[in-house]
Amino acid sequence: MKIAILGAGNVGGTLGKAFASAGHKVFFGVPNPEDEKNKKLIDLIGPNSSSAGSVSDAVQFAELVVLATPWNAARTALQSAGNLSDKVVVDCTNPLKEDMSGLVIGHTSSAAEQIAQWAVGAKVCKAFNQTGFQNMANPKFNSGNAVIFVCGDDFSSKKIVLQLAEQIGFESIDAGPLSVARLLEPLAMLWIHLAYKANMGTDFAFGILRR
Ligand SMILES: NC(=O)c1ccc[n+]([C@@H]2O[C@H](COP(=O)([O-])OP(=O)(O)OC[C@H]3O[C@@H](n4cnc5c(N)ncnc54)[C@H](OP(=O)(O)O)[C@@H]3O)[C@@H](O)[C@H]2O)c1
């Protein structure tokens, strides 16, 4: 699949590597494609399966668009994207306060629902927001695979995202409609709290136990 990734930082870069390793072609849409850090990323992944350019070129290239910018850049990125009609947009953002002490949206809406309003015509799913980027590089633990919850209102898009998460090693769970992002974004906040405030570090992930 052709995948655009808006943002090539911790999350965008890590998911890009993982998607390319699973056989996909990735195109990073970034503000400064010629930056040394972006060139290094392309060299690392390999120029046959990755490239970098403007946000609009990335979106034009792709069937599926991953939004991996800081929350405060999400709207600008989507405005630069051009026509998103019928594209699957995977929202990985968390609407964090500047000091990471909490979320700026919640309870009665979510970042994902706001993004669905900005990304006119796109089929938005929320995914890859509930664990640290370190786990996106390797979701496998001795006790099983880390979980990624996926929510969205379009069933066939959600199926694609669920498969993508499985391909890179996660257990993926359909968590329901896009409004479930109201639960998944605070879940990310819990992971951040445990990792950085409760001193658990980043080497853990949420998983599912079944009887
Ligand atoms: N870090 C995590 O473990 C983690 C886990 C789950 C979810 N998240 C969420 O994922 C998102 C990204 O986090 P991150 O840690 O990957 O951030 P990051 O390392 O700071 O990377 C952000 C990327 O977005 C790019 N960017 C900034 N403005 C842009 C625009 N207008 N259009 C396109 N790209 C733009 C940046 O480019 P420049 O560097 O050139 O500015 C950079 O490549 C955040 O919303 C975060 O809350 C993070």
Side-chain angles (χ1 to χ4, degrees):
M1 185 165 44
K2 291 178 172 174
I3 300 176
I5 305 185
L6 310 187
N10 294 319
V11 172
T14 307
L15 285 178
K17 266 180 249 166
F19 294 154
S21 297
H24 299 289
K25 298 242 182 257
V26 298
F27 192 132
F28 296 99
V30 282
N32 302 298
E34 297 303 318
D35 259 15
E36 209 45 49
K37 61 187 174 198
N38 297 322
K39 286 185 174 168
K40 273 191 190 155
L41 182 63
I42 302 304
D43 282 347
L44 184 72
I45 298 176
N48 288 335
S49 49
S50 65
S51 45
S54 70
V55 166
S56 62
D57 284 351
V59 169
Q60 230 171 13
F61 161 88
E63 298 143 48
L64 180 141
V65 179
V66 175
L67 179 65
T69 66
W71 172 244
N72 62 13
R75 189 174 195 172
T76 311
L78 293 170
Q79 280 168 341
S80 316
N83 187 3
L84 284 162
S85 289
D86 293 326
K87 303 256 183 196
V88 180
V89 171
V90 184
D91 168 33
C92 308
T93 69
N94 284 306
L96 299 178
K97 289 182 180 169
E98 293 281 325
D99 64 358
M100 288 176 53
S101 64
L103 301 171
V104 296
I105 299 182
H107 298 297
T108 55
S109 190
S110 60
E113 288 162 279
Q114 177 62 78
I115 277 157
Q117 286 182 12
W118 290 335
V120 178
K123 296 180 272 190
V124 177
C125 294
K126 184 105 206 167
F128 303 118
N129 74 304
Q130 317 120 48
T131 199
F133 72 93
Q134 302 87 342
N135 294 327
M136 298 176 198
N138 180 12
K140 293 187 188 302
F141 288 75
N142 290 338
S143 46
N145 295 356
V147 71
I148 280 296
F149 296 105
V150 181
C151 69
D153 293 334
D154 183 74
F155 185 74
S156 52
S157 308
K158 201 162 40 175
K159 208 168 153 196
I160 293 168
V161 181
L162 287 161
Q163 280 170 352
L164 200 53
E166 296 270 341
Q167 283 170 8
I168 65 168
F170 284 102
E171 172 170 7
S172 63
I173 300 276
D174 181 348
L178 195 64
S179 58
V180 172
R182 296 173 197 186
L183 306 178
L184 299 186
E185 291 165 12
L187 184 60
M189 201 63 243
L190 175 64
W191 190 92
I192 292 166
H193 169 81
L194 293 173
Y196 298 108
K197 295 262 167 66
N199 297 322
M200 276 180 65
T202 56
D203 212 7
F204 76 98
F206 299 131
I208 300 285
L209 298 178
R210 287 191 178 80
R211 207 174 289 287

